[in-house]
Amino acid sequence: MRVIEAEDYQELSNIAADFFINKVKENPEITLGLATGGTPKGTYRKMVEDHDKHGTSYRSVTTFNLDEYVGLDSDHPNSYYQFMETHLFNEIDLPFRQKHLPNGVAKDIYKECIEYERTIEQCGGIDVQLLGLGSNGHIGFNEPGTAFETMTHVVELTQSTRQANARFFNQLDEVPQRAITMGISTIMQSKEIVLLVSGESKQHALQQLLTRQSDEGFPASVLTKHPHVTIIADRKALSGIPVNG
Ligand code: F6R
């Protein structure tokens, strides 16, 4: 795993955005895996700025998001669909039919998981997957204890994840109990992975990732087995952790 140290969140966002912009320029038909949450917001903002200023086009790009809450339809202000619309999709020229998120209100959410996998496969797999890091080591909504073999599936959210995400809702009760998420195996099948880690609150999780053996008790540790992972972390997240450069 390559680790890039950024001075602060701003620099982390610039580095990550440049990384994705260059990937899109190199391969305008790229398939990107995307994440929601606080960490990638700055990256998306920079990508939008670049699209406005320099015209980088997403006309031929395909995207797959990691996850979506069960029970929130795409119009719900807290759905990940709306998050992506607000922070990225509404602001770039990505065609509607080329963006994919799991459908959290599908009649049969289990069948939806199988179809999501099939669609990823039909598109030739994910070229570059963007990830954030949960403070308990989750990636996507794959909580500690998730088998590394899992494909897209329905998960019960842990109390700690619901509490962490309650900041986006009016109150904890409104945070859904379940989500559909790409599985760990789905994520590992991406050709390349970029993990963004920012702030002191992630320092412990990042330290675990960089120092412990891969095991299912800490989902992100699976990334040590992937041949092409770049971690972009800011100084606060890396404090006290030696970096390989
Ligand atoms: C988001 C996702 C989550 C987040 C993680 C970190 O689609 O799947 O795994 O990446 O919870 O969230 P933030 O960036 O809000 O700290």
Side-chain angles (χ1 to χ4, degrees):
M1 295 191 295
R2 185 165 69 115
V3 181
I4 298 176
E5 180 174 354
E7 187 63 36
D8 52 21
Y9 178 70
Q10 186 63 43
E11 197 187 38
L12 174 151
S13 303
N14 292 344
I15 295 170
D18 284 346
F19 179 95
F20 279 96
I21 292 162
N22 286 330
K23 290 281 176 192
V24 170
K25 284 182 179 162
E26 277 165 27
N27 175 11
E29 293 181 10
I30 197 165
T31 298
L32 299 177
L34 299 176
T36 58
T39 318
K41 278 187 188 172
T43 305
Y44 296 151
R45 200 176 312 124
K46 282 277 153 195
M47 288 166 73
V48 169
E49 265 175 45
D50 162 78
H51 172 74
D52 290 345
K53 268 197 208 148
H54 306 115
T56 304
S57 176
Y58 296 80
R59 249 191 335 261
S60 306
V61 171
T62 299
T63 65
F64 286 91
N65 264 78
L66 281 168
D67 38 24
E68 179 58 282
Y69 289 115
V70 169
L72 302 192
D73 68 29
S74 57
D75 288 338
H76 192 287
N78 290 120
S79 68
Y80 283 172
Y81 187 96
Q82 278 307 314
F83 177 100
M84 291 309 298
E85 291 290 287
T86 306
H87 294 285
L88 187 65
F89 296 158
N90 279 341
E91 311 295 329
I92 59 173
D93 59 345
L94 177 72
F96 173 76
R97 64 180 183 287
Q98 285 155 223
K99 49 189 174 183
H100 304 88
L101 283 93
N103 177 3
V105 291
K107 255 198 186 139
D108 183 338
I109 50 175
Y110 298 96
K111 200 165 145 206
E112 170 65 14
C113 297
I114 295 167
E115 269 163 21
Y116 201 62
E117 285 290 335
R118 193 174 301 146
T119 314
I120 295 174
E121 207 184 301
Q122 279 163 357
C123 289
I126 292 167
D127 293 307
V128 189
Q129 175 67 55
L130 174 65
L131 295 178
L133 179 64
S135 37
N136 63 358
H138 73 225
I139 48 174
F141 270 130
N142 296 288
E143 301 288 5
T146 307
F148 283 169
E149 297 78 37
T150 49
M151 308 295 279
T152 298
H153 64 294
V154 176
V155 284
E156 292 288 329
L157 301 180
T158 63
Q159 190 66 359
S160 76
T161 295
R162 293 183 65 241
Q163 263 157 4
N165 290 5
R167 67 191 193 275
F168 301 112
F169 292 77
N170 295 321
Q171 53 192 51
L172 181 60
D173 280 4
E174 291 178 15
V175 184
Q177 306 275 355
R178 293 188 300 168
I180 295 176
T181 182
M182 279 187 202
I184 293 187
S185 175
T186 322
I187 293 170
M188 288 294 280
Q189 281 169 25
S190 311
K191 294 170 192 104
E192 185 170 1
I193 294 174
V194 179
L195 174 74
L196 305 184
V197 195
S198 171
E200 261 161 289
S201 65
K202 299 291 173 71
Q203 191 270 346
H204 183 66
L206 184 55
Q207 184 159 34
Q208 299 273 303
L209 171 60
L210 294 173
T211 54
R212 76 188 252 176
Q213 297 283 336
S214 177
D215 77 276
E216 291 175 354
F218 191 79
S221 65
V222 76
L223 299 176
T224 56
K225 298 177 181 210
H226 192 286
H228 210 170
V229 176
T230 302
I231 299 173
I232 308 174
D234 62 18
R235 230 181 228 173
K236 284 188 177 157
L238 277 166
S239 63
I241 308 173
V243 174
N244 58 12

